Amino acid sequence: MTDPVHIRHLEAEIASWPLWSEAGFRRCFVRLEQTPTRALGKSTQALSEDLLQWLRPRSRGTSLEVLRRLQDHVWFSTAEKSLDRPGHNASLEDYVGSFTSRLLTASGGKFFIRDGPLASVVPSAPRGSENIEDRIAAWRWLSLALPQDLLLASFCCVTETSSAPACDHVSLGAEHLDRFFCEDGIAQTHLHLGAALSFGVLWTHLMSRISTDEVQPGPLHCAAGTPFGGEQEFLGWLVTAGVARLCLASFLRQLQEPNFARYMPRLAGRTEEPREFLSVVSALLRGNAPVPFVSARSQLRRLAGPAPARLPASLPEIREADPLYKWKLGGRSLHLPHVTQPGCLPETLLLFEAMRWLRQVRMERQRVEATGGRWTSRGEDLFERVFWQYVRIRNRTYRHLVQEPGTAGLDWFSTHFRRIGSLRKGMEQALMSAALHLEGKGPAPLSSLEVRTSPPSSWAEVRTLVRDIARDVDAPPECNPERGLVLHFVKLAERPGGKGMSYADPRSAGHACRFGQYFSDRLREAQAIETALQRHPELLVILRGLDVCSLELAIPSWVFIPLFQRLRAHSEQVSQKLAHLGHVPPFRFTLHAGEDFRRLVEGLRRIHEPLMFHMLGPGDRLGHAVALGLDPGRWAATTPITRQPLEERLDDLVWELHLYREQCIPVDSSRIEAVRGEVANLSRQIYENPIPADVLIEAWKQRHSPGVLKRLGYPHMGALSRRRIVAAAAQPQDWLLWRYLTDYDVYHRGQRTTEVQATDGEVQVLRRMQYFLRKHVAQRGMTVEANPSSNLLIGDIPFEAHPIFALQPLAGMQAAEGGPVPVSLGDDDPITFASCLPDEFSYLYYQLVRQGIGAQDAMNWLDQVRKNGLRARFTLPNYSRMPERRSRRPRSGRAPV
């Protein structure tokens, strides 16, 4: 039986299909049609067939009959209310408005999720029984399918007042939840700067800069498929969207020509090449192939005029660079109304005015025909087609950036994340401003904002990056949080330009060892950080720590230990130099661990290694760490058989033997003998001889020792003579480590996979391992950074089954073995997961209420999470706010900072 969350996901996908699909784009689709006998119109039937083909591999076994009925419900449940002739027909603007009006309400210039019983939005729920928790869940899935600004513009269009939207986002917090959030503020502890912006901001910047030679989207091709068939096609359609956007806006703002079909030739006549201009629009209406990029770009440049010479440094500058904000055509200035409204982008207003114009023309036509008059066309059919084709390009780009549900795994996430960079080129200096607007848009004051990005390899670039974070960017006046920058080393699977060669492959010129080139690249970044701090110690006020992120399974922890120890020691020296300022603590550390794993024991091992070998210490944090809270029994039931590389399986078993030897977990005699037997077998397969377990344990430990690695010549091990090799690897464990690092045959054999089955005995051991690790983490005062939306999409973990409830139990729940582990909340990558920090709190709150948890217990639990974030933050309270704003938000019981 399909669960309700799955139904909501399918419903959102079906609802969004006419608005973003390439099938709809190729057909220039503008109307959903169904005959009185419930047969679909010709174009609607073709769109339906494409939808069912697309849904089939995503529906997890749902039958075609169920999918068809669900499709009919979503597409035609409110078609009778359409402004068109009676029957099951709906224009797209009325169609979108039908489901947004059931989900949303507006009050005081803000948008909220509607409360109270209404006709069910979710087919599986009884009519009239739906509450706000159900609608919040429905909105979560819909926001992953379509951008919020389109939904809000549609909602405003179908309301009685038809007033323009005053903001671009929905506030998910109920009134009592808003007051709860406002008490003491929240801390953002896990945010990647490169994704800390809304889609509306990204699209506005892209439309402003895509016509220039200097700023173009870079390589857009990706392994998962590029929209519209290829890089050049996608790029061509993006430029075509820019042309269509200006055509629509120009028509809506002029008064002389009320007919869009007659206006377009006149607009073309104002360009130097009218025929080429019209060919761009014609290609959009056909939807099969765009005009070549160079030709379309020249037309866009003539319409929009030259882009500002200076790249934007803040969100207001991105808005002001938008041609819709102030656009000159034929010597005349054209302004969209309300563009100075705070919090609302011109793009949102364009969407609203276009849909409102279509509805007004349709209502006027209905009145004329009802009185027997003859309707004179205003070119609304052409306008409608151009507008919805533009919207589909925009929505297809949104779907390209937002991670699709069901594509779990960090490799899929990395694919989505890499797509952002090619579309936001030129707005690097404005990212901090965008992050402040995005994270500070909720009801709660943002007390602390940490952002993460990869370090440059030049110390001067490190200095510039830190100063960009610290400078006073244009942000909401009420948003002045403590600021901090955490630099993260990015785990990469393959060497750049290495033709698919893995960093783990020891056949590397100049290094001749595993991860030698990767370590050298990261060492240059570490040296750049050191030099920047040495020359400018005051950077430590903003530069607060280090992280390791991205493909968790690609690079092992031991590679980073020398880098972390080196930078920890250097930051302590810099901290001492700043003693005259007061207490400026040295670096603090976090890393993504236990998030992505083939087997649960592998995730637990990757959490313990950085703790055991002093990468992380008291007061540091763990990113995600879902392996700490996953129920082993449930994991074993869903993953009974796994294929794992031989060397990873061997490391898991060696780690388990180490825990037995150190008496960290109870010893089971039957289990330990089975483990020893498998260790002997695996070592024989990898090293061609059985290796004693004690030697394997010591070699594993020495792999994590920077001193031993240095003695062996790491990372330039190819330059050592045979005599030095023999001297350095005098002990059996040293020689085994040497072979592990340098022997290609050992590496090659270790990459072979073995089938591993989850057994009842292993499940018991996993529970003991979790108990030991949770106790270890809690005793060190470490905090786990939880990112529920990220885990929903990357780990396929629904909110109600999230491991954070095992780490920090709700009131009345049994405390987890090992004691509760502090949990803080983050949103990770807002544009990729279509979320922000205030939304993450709200989604969790309503999910808890939906599960039957009392409102007070839910708020108490979230309050503890909020406090954990404030206590675990790396930012400094006395130095990292903007000076001119410090007096605006005094803290209770303390003088203004």
Side-chain angles (χ1 to χ4, degrees), residues 626 630 634 788 791-803:
V626 295
L630 277 182
R634 179 178 179 182
N791 301 140
L792 172 70
L793 295 170
I794 293 178
D796 202 19
I797 302 173
F799 285 145
E800 62 270 18
H802 201 283

Side-chain angles (χ1 to χ4, degrees), residues 702-843:
Q702 290 194 358
R703 193 191 312 166
H704 295 81
S705 171
V708 173
L709 292 176
K710 184 176 181 180
R711 174 164 56 83
L712 293 177
Y714 191 82
H716 301 285
M717 303 182 72
L720 297 184
S721 65
R722 180 69 181 178
R723 180 180 299 177
R724 289 187 60 189
I725 293 173
V726 173
Q731 300 298 321
Q733 57 267 24
D734 295 335
W735 181 246
L736 191 65
L737 177 57
W738 176 273
R739 292 190 64 193
Y740 169 84
L741 293 172
T742 64
D743 192 328
Y744 172 75
D745 290 333
V746 170
Y747 162 75
H748 180 69
R749 290 190 292 267
Q751 295 305 303
R752 299 172 184 168
T753 61
T754 181
E755 184 178 281
V756 186
Q757 295 186 357
T759 64
D760 293 340
E762 183 185 17
V763 169
Q764 295 302 317
V765 173
L766 289 171
R767 296 189 192 280
R768 296 166 187 164
M769 290 174 173
Q770 285 183 327
Y771 169 82
F772 161 72
L773 281 177
R774 283 198 290 257
K775 184 177 180 180
H776 195 45
V777 170
Q779 288 176 342
R780 291 191 172 202
M782 301 177 69
T783 301
V784 170
E785 305 159 358
N787 304 274
S789 285
S790 173
N791 301 140
L792 172 70
L793 295 170
I794 293 178
D796 202 19
I797 302 173
F799 285 145
E800 62 270 18
H802 201 283
I804 55 177
F805 300 120
L807 300 180
Q808 186 169 301
L810 289 153
M813 291 180 59
Q814 182 179 359
E817 292 184 350
V821 175
V823 172
S824 65
L825 203 60
D827 52 15
D828 206 356
D829 299 272
I831 194 171
T832 310
F833 306 125
S835 186
C836 64
L837 185 59
D839 288 354
E840 292 296 294
F841 274 97
S842 297
Y843 285 136

Side-chain angles (χ1 to χ4, degrees), residues 499-778:
K499 297 182 179 180
M501 181 177 287
S502 170
Y503 274 116
D505 193 327
R507 298 174 299 175
S508 172
H511 296 93
C513 59
R514 298 193 191 207
F515 308 106
Q517 181 180 338
Y518 178 85
F519 179 85
S520 297
D521 294 342
R522 303 292 81 76
L523 180 60
R524 282 193 292 272
E525 295 172 352
Q527 289 170 339
I529 296 171
E530 288 179 345
T531 304
L533 287 175
Q534 183 178 357
R535 299 193 179 197
H536 301 279
E538 69 278 3
L539 297 180
L540 188 62
V541 172
I542 298 295
L543 183 53
R544 295 302 310 135
L546 292 177
D547 177 26
V548 176
C549 71
S550 197
L551 301 177
E552 182 177 348
L553 302 180
I555 310 291
S557 299
W558 60 265
V559 176
F560 301 97
I561 295 177
L563 303 175
F564 270 49
Q565 289 188 1
R566 176 174 180 156
L567 287 170
R568 187 189 296 273
H570 187 77
S571 69
E572 289 172 352
Q573 296 173 8
V574 174
S575 176
Q576 294 175 5
K577 292 181 181 179
L578 298 178
H580 63 282
L581 295 178
H583 182 50
V584 180
F587 279 166
R588 295 174 68 181
F589 297 86
T590 180
L591 61 94
H592 292 55
E595 177 188 11
D596 193 25
F597 43 84
R598 287 159 288 226
R599 309 196 74 254
L600 183 54
V601 64
E602 184 179 32
L604 295 173
R605 171 173 61 83
R606 289 176 179 270
I607 292 174
H608 187 222
E609 285 173 342
L611 304 180
M612 176 180 175
F613 299 108
H614 310 294
M615 275 185 71
L616 300 179
D620 290 337
R621 302 196 302 249
L622 281 166
H624 299 281
V626 295
L628 274 182
L630 277 182
D631 179 69
R634 179 178 179 182
W635 169 83
T638 56
T639 318
I641 299 177
T642 314
R643 295 206 68 87
Q644 189 179 22
L646 294 179
E647 62 181 20
E648 292 293 341
R649 176 60 176 167
L650 180 60
D651 277 356
D652 289 346
L653 297 174
V654 166
W655 176 62
E656 183 178 342
L657 290 177
H658 163 75
L659 295 181
Y660 291 142
R661 190 172 73 171
E662 299 298 321
Q663 300 182 357
C664 298
I665 61 176
V667 177
D668 185 322
S669 57
S670 60
R671 171 71 183 176
I672 197 170
E673 289 305 317
V675 170
R676 286 185 177 275
E678 189 174 355
V679 164
N681 181 43
L682 290 172
S683 64
R684 183 185 298 107
Q685 294 183 56
I686 296 173
Y687 295 99
E688 296 186 319
N689 290 297
I691 308 296
D694 290 344
V695 174
L696 287 167
I697 293 174
E698 291 304 315
W700 168 73
K701 292 170 65 176
Q702 290 194 358
R703 193 191 312 166
H704 295 81
S705 171
V708 173
L709 292 176
K710 184 176 181 180
R711 174 164 56 83
L712 293 177
Y714 191 82
H716 301 285
M717 303 182 72
L720 297 184
S721 65
R722 180 69 181 178
R723 180 180 299 177
R724 289 187 60 189
I725 293 173
V726 173
Q731 300 298 321
Q733 57 267 24
D734 295 335
W735 181 246
L736 191 65
L737 177 57
W738 176 273
R739 292 190 64 193
Y740 169 84
L741 293 172
T742 64
D743 192 328
Y744 172 75
D745 290 333
V746 170
Y747 162 75
H748 180 69
R749 290 190 292 267
Q751 295 305 303
R752 299 172 184 168
T753 61
T754 181
E755 184 178 281
V756 186
Q757 295 186 357
T759 64
D760 293 340
E762 183 185 17
V763 169
Q764 295 302 317
V765 173
L766 289 171
R767 296 189 192 280
R768 296 166 187 164
M769 290 174 173
Q770 285 183 327
Y771 169 82
F772 161 72
L773 281 177
R774 283 198 290 257
K775 184 177 180 180
H776 195 45
V777 170

